Amino acid sequence: MESSRSIRGKMFTEHYHSAAQARQDGKPIAYITAFTPVEILKAMGLVCLYPESYAVVCAASNKSADMIQASGMEAFSQDLCSYSLLSFGAEHYEKLPFQGLPQPDMLIAANNQCGTTMLWFRLLAQKKNIPLFIIDYPAAADDQPSLVNYITQQYEVLVDFVKGHTGNDLNTSILNEQIERSKKTCHLWKSVHEVNKARPARIEAHKIIDALFPIVVAKGTQQAYDYYDALLNEYSQMAEQDTVDAVRLLWHGYPMWFLPNKFPLCFDDEFQVVLNDYTLWWSLNYPDDSSGMEALAAAYSDTYLNRSIQRKVEEVADLIADYSIDGVICHVNRSCRRSLADINPLRKRLHQLSIPSVTIESDMANPSFYSDEQVRLRIESFRDALRRVL
Amino acid sequence: MNYYLGIDVGSSYIKLALLDDAETMAFQDVIQRGADIDASCRACFDEMLNRCQIDRNQIEGIIATGYGRKQVTFCDDVITEITALAVGSYAIDRTIRCVIDIGGQDSKVIVIDQFGKVLDFMMNHKCSAGTGKFLEVTSASLGVPMEQLGPLSQESDKVLKLSSICTVFAESEIISCIARGEKKEDIIRALHRTISGQVRGLFSQINSFSDGTIVFVGGLALNDGMISELSETLKQRVLVPPHPQFVGACGAAIFLRRKMEPVLTLQGT
């Protein structure tokens, strides 16, 4: 059986090389936001690229500081979302990973994860003079039938939009296959995390972050399913004696993509981040009792950041219980305003649960907002405090 | 008699607290920090032995805390100031649930539980706004020594508001205030209010969930004007212990004593 590492390596390279090839072959290319219903677009023959994911690739390649500076050429404030700055900076930067993303034919954005992407994509549409379609997902909606109806109506318009620009029809057979595989792959991705419910934890959370790429860019593909199947198999077979029980930490929120291990290097055998809830956000809940567009509407309207604050806080509380978490590190990511809203309510809940926590202010992709000394001081103080509690 | 020594190496001062077996303060001292932290601590330590007329062998253990804790080569253990301040504050009063420390380099708000353990903490981020350094720099531009800031601010009869929280910009704003004839005491009070506002920002993020006593520690808690402004800004009374600048050193020494005598720890907590 092919190793998960080998599959992922191939997928990563193929994703960007095949995109460049698609441009040469004249296939229609769309830039899409993180939680766009890609299944519909794939079933209409679109090649889909994720500028947010590419921003992560740039940040992890140690290019973000220079690229964000380059975005200053267009007079963008450095206080904007660092993913968007990386995207705009890429226009003025030469040494891009994979020679950059090929030019798109259209843009499709959704507001179920982020508000900034709407403005970012609108600006891209103006600059590139290409069509833009925006899908609206009301946040924290409680009338599920009306919500699903509202969203599926937009999906129907989306199908017309794509057909109008490509001439391609929706292939419902491919759509259903995509949805079914997305659903199974999301289940597998969740199961990969759940391996760490065991004590001692089998795998460090930063290694799980390394496995994120396929669920983001290739959710409905057989290759992604095979990858997570192989990964889960490998993790499940890891011998218990290979790992050491440690103080179990939850990293709440975004990783720091520009750091080698995605988290500050302040953890060791004694303190281990066993779960990063951000990576779990990518495991969407495709319902069992509906199919087609309705299933997609239910899954994509229920992204983590589109839920109510109260629900988000309680979900973190559930994770703390399920994964036997001893302490929580909250990353206040200045780029993502929507993820900040639950920090203080979460703290309040953690106080009630007597779970120690610490807050680190930084950014997901802009290293100029990261101060190693300040972060170390906070984490060291947190470790000190945890030693006394446990 | 056996002793436990806590050394708190801050960004501006080094504080020593020597406790006996009964956790009673036997000696305390504060000196300006030199460039060579280890040498400064050692000189202060030797002087302490001499003044207290005690032998080195009577000291059961030495623990360092604060920013420069890792520079102290002759200590047996180190802890962060967050833990030291929590232990030291809880030893003063067990109803304390929130500790505010305004140090030379940073401000901290620490939430502790009913057992004195740290639940959460906030520190100012990558900026000297709201710290002792802010007051040190700005008071220098007024030509007023730090120890006179408190009494002078109490004479203020005008509410003056500074718009800058940045140390550098506030310094130039003060020059403008002086130029337009504002009184020093009003400017100093405004500086205290600026720092209090910064601390409130941290406090409101972290402490709105807990009840209990709030304690104000650190060198700036010696400044009556600062205490008044902080209480007013937080709209709550803050407790100030008799020797607020030694709470960290004292807490470290208590931590060490209890760690070295686990039976007493169980009884004591």
Side-chain angles (χ1 to χ4, degrees):
Chain A
M1 189 176 177
E2 190 176 5
S3 74
S4 64
R5 191 185 174 88
S6 160
I7 301 173
R8 192 183 73 220
K10 279 186 207 162
M11 287 182 77
F12 189 68
T13 315
E14 277 173 22
H15 176 74
Y16 289 109
H17 286 168
S18 64
Q21 187 61 45
R23 180 76 285 164
Q24 286 179 19
D25 296 345
K27 289 182 185 168
I29 294 177
Y31 281 3
I32 65 176
T33 54
F35 288 106
T36 300
V38 66
E39 293 88 345
I40 297 174
L41 308 177
K42 291 273 183 72
M44 297 190 76
L46 277 183
V47 174
C48 297
L49 296 172
Y50 297 78
E52 291 157 273
S53 181
Y54 184 68
V56 168
V57 173
C58 295
S61 313
N62 278 329
K63 296 185 183 299
S64 49
D66 289 344
M67 287 175 67
I68 287 171
Q69 271 186 16
S71 72
M73 303 270 287
E74 297 193 45
F76 287 120
S77 162
Q78 303 294 290
D79 284 327
L80 291 176
C81 156
S82 49
Y83 284 171
S84 66
L85 290 178
L86 282 166
S87 172
F88 292 116
E91 308 273 334
H92 306 279
Y93 193 79
E94 287 180 357
K95 295 173 186 168
L96 291 170
F98 302 101
Q99 286 79 52
L101 292 179
Q103 289 302 309
D105 300 294
M106 67 187 76
L107 303 164
I108 299 161
N111 63 357
N112 48 358
Q113 163 92 347
C114 170
T116 301
T117 45
M118 307 295 98
L119 306 171
W120 169 8
F121 273 50
R122 198 162 274 153
L123 197 51
L124 276 180
Q126 285 172 11
K127 284 165 66 78
K128 295 179 185 296
N129 194 27
I130 54 175
L132 165 69
F133 190 91
I134 291 179
I135 308 167
D136 175 44
Y137 292 89
D142 51 9
D143 182 354
Q144 187 69 6
S146 300
L147 177 73
V148 168
N149 187 40
Y150 173 65
I151 295 166
T152 50
Q153 282 178 19
Q154 293 181 75
Y155 287 170
E156 284 161 17
V157 182
L158 171 66
V159 169
D160 292 341
F161 169 84
V162 175
K163 186 176 179 179
H165 290 286
T166 63
N168 297 349
D169 285 315
L170 175 72
N171 184 324
T172 50
S173 169
I174 293 177
L175 174 67
N176 291 332
E177 278 173 24
Q178 288 270 334
I179 293 172
E180 197 52 35
R181 276 201 297 263
S182 288
K183 184 177 174 178
K184 286 181 182 169
T185 308
C186 284
H187 274 300
L188 276 175
W189 180 231
K190 196 174 178 191
S191 301
V192 164
H193 290 77
E194 286 174 347
V195 168
N196 264 358
K197 284 185 178 176
R199 287 198 90 128
R202 300 286 196 279
I203 198 87
E204 292 154 307
H206 71 83
K207 290 182 180 160
I208 298 179
I209 293 174
D210 288 341
L212 182 67
F213 179 76
I215 197 86
V216 176
V217 305
K219 197 164 55 235
T221 65
Q222 185 62 41
Q223 216 175 3
Y225 178 84
D226 291 343
Y227 168 68
Y228 290 114
D229 192 37
L231 187 69
L232 180 59
N233 198 34
E234 288 164 12
Y235 282 2
S236 302
Q237 286 179 6
M238 285 180 79
E240 209 170 289
Q241 58 266 32
D242 288 349
T243 52
V244 182
D245 202 11
V247 176
R248 297 164 67 87
L249 305 176
L250 164 66
W251 181 282
H252 174 62
Y254 287 75
M256 296 168 176
W257 297 113
F258 47 85
L259 294 179
N261 276 354
K262 315 300 180 278
F263 302 135
L265 290 172
C266 306
F267 307 105
D268 49 29
D269 287 346
E270 193 187 353
F271 292 85
Q272 195 180 33
V273 180
V274 300
L275 179 67
N276 173 208
D277 55 1
Y278 165 83
T279 51
L280 262 182
W281 297 355
W282 298 88
S283 178
L284 294 180
N285 298 312
Y286 291 81
D288 292 325
D289 58 356
S290 61
S291 59
M293 301 281 197
E294 288 187 358
L296 290 176
Y300 283 103
S301 61
D302 190 34
T303 60
Y304 177 81
L305 289 177
N306 214 35
R307 295 171 190 162
S308 70
I309 288 174
Q310 192 183 4
R311 195 174 148 209
K312 284 189 278 189
V313 167
E314 286 312 313
E315 280 175 14
V316 176
D318 289 344
L319 290 176
I320 286 167
D322 292 346
Y323 286 78
S324 312
I325 297 295
D326 299 311
V328 177
I329 300 168
C330 298
H331 177 199
V332 173
N333 171 15
R334 52 155 293 286
S335 272
C336 180
R337 306 296 153 91
R338 199 181 281 192
S339 72
L340 301 184
D342 61 343
I343 295 286
N344 277 356
L346 176 60
R347 272 195 157 136
K348 184 176 182 177
R349 188 75 178 102
L350 294 175
H351 289 193
Q352 287 169 349
L353 295 169
S354 289
I355 295 289
S357 65
V358 65
T359 301
I360 293 172
E361 294 177 27
S362 185
D363 191 83
M364 56 195 180
N366 190 344
S368 57
F369 288 101
Y370 176 79
S371 163
D372 193 56
E373 193 54 38
Q374 298 261 343
V375 169
R376 276 177 187 277
L377 175 68
R378 280 156 181 76
I379 291 184
E380 209 171 309
S381 301
F382 179 57
R383 288 172 51 136
D384 234 17
L386 270 170
R387 278 198 193 97
R388 290 197 68 231
V389 170
L390 300 171
Chain B
M1 180 74 79
N2 291 322
Y3 297 94
Y4 301 84
L5 177 66
I7 304 175
D8 179 1
V9 185
S11 58
S12 304
Y13 295 94
I14 294 169
K15 287 82 67 176
L16 263 66
L18 185 71
L19 301 187
D20 62 22
D21 286 326
E23 294 184 3
T24 306
M25 186 80 84
F27 177 84
Q28 60 189 37
D29 197 10
V30 56
I31 60 162
Q32 190 102 34
R33 201 199 72 180
D36 185 338
I37 289 173
D38 193 40
S40 302
C41 290
R42 207 173 276 276
C44 199
F45 174 65
D46 290 341
E47 193 187 331
M48 179 197 77
L49 293 177
N50 190 33
R51 280 166 64 183
C52 296
Q53 290 294 296
I54 56 172
D55 190 76
R56 171 69 180 86
N57 295 333
Q58 285 178 270
I59 297 177
E60 285 285 307
I62 301 171
I63 185 167
T65 187
Y67 279 103
R69 63 187 177 279
K70 290 176 185 168
Q71 314 286 320
V72 184
T73 57
F74 59 99
C75 66
D76 305 302
D77 202 354
V78 291
I79 54 168
T80 63
E81 56 270 37
I82 300 290
T83 303
L85 289 166
V87 174
S89 300
Y90 189 69
I92 293 165
D93 182 342
R94 292 193 171 200
T95 67
I96 287 171
R97 295 290 175 269
C98 181
V99 184
I100 295 173
D101 170 57
I102 307 179
Q105 190 169 305
D106 64 26
S107 315
K108 308 176 196 75
V109 180
I110 307 165
V111 172
I112 58 179
D113 68 9
Q114 68 269 37
F115 307 109
K117 291 164 185 168
V118 176
L119 265 187
D120 205 347
F121 61 93
M122 284 288 289
M123 299 165 82
N124 62 312
H125 186 67
K126 290 201 288 186
C127 171
S128 64
T131 68
K133 184 59 73 179
F134 174 85
L135 206 54
E136 199 180 308
V137 171
T138 47
S139 65
S141 60
L142 282 170
V144 178
M146 287 286 277
E147 61 273 14
Q148 287 179 24
L149 293 175
L152 262 178
S153 70
Q154 304 283 47
E155 292 171 20
S156 163
D157 55 9
K158 181 179 176 183
V159 177
L160 189 65
K161 189 167 166 31
L162 297 176
S163 58
S164 302
I165 57 167
C166 165
T167 304
V168 176
F169 294 152
E171 201 177 359
S172 45
E173 191 173 348
I174 287 166
I175 292 166
S176 304
C177 287
I178 295 168
R180 68 170 187 262
E182 300 290 357
K183 290 189 292 185
K184 279 185 180 178
E185 45 267 44
D186 296 330
I187 298 172
I188 294 166
R189 189 176 163 199
L191 291 171
H192 290 158
R193 193 174 304 111
T194 301
I195 295 175
S196 299
Q198 288 296 295
V199 173
R200 184 179 59 186
L202 300 176
F203 180 84
S204 58
Q205 286 181 60
I206 200 171
N207 193 57
S208 54
F209 334 126
S210 71
D211 299 322
T213 308
I214 300 165
V215 67
F216 177 26
V217 300
L220 277 195
L222 293 166
N223 176 333
D224 287 341
M226 193 65 232
I227 298 168
S228 307
E229 287 302 327
L230 190 61
S231 298
E232 199 172 303
T233 307
L234 299 180
K235 296 186 171 53
Q236 294 189 55
R237 195 180 73 84
V238 293
L239 172 73
V240 179
H243 305 288
Q245 75 274 45
F246 291 103
V247 172
C250 205
I254 293 170
F255 177 89
L256 184 65
R257 190 196 76 81
R258 293 179 183 180
K259 187 179 171 186
M260 294 176 81
E261 294 187 43
V263 177
L264 282 174
T265 305
L266 288 173
Q267 291 168 350
T269 56

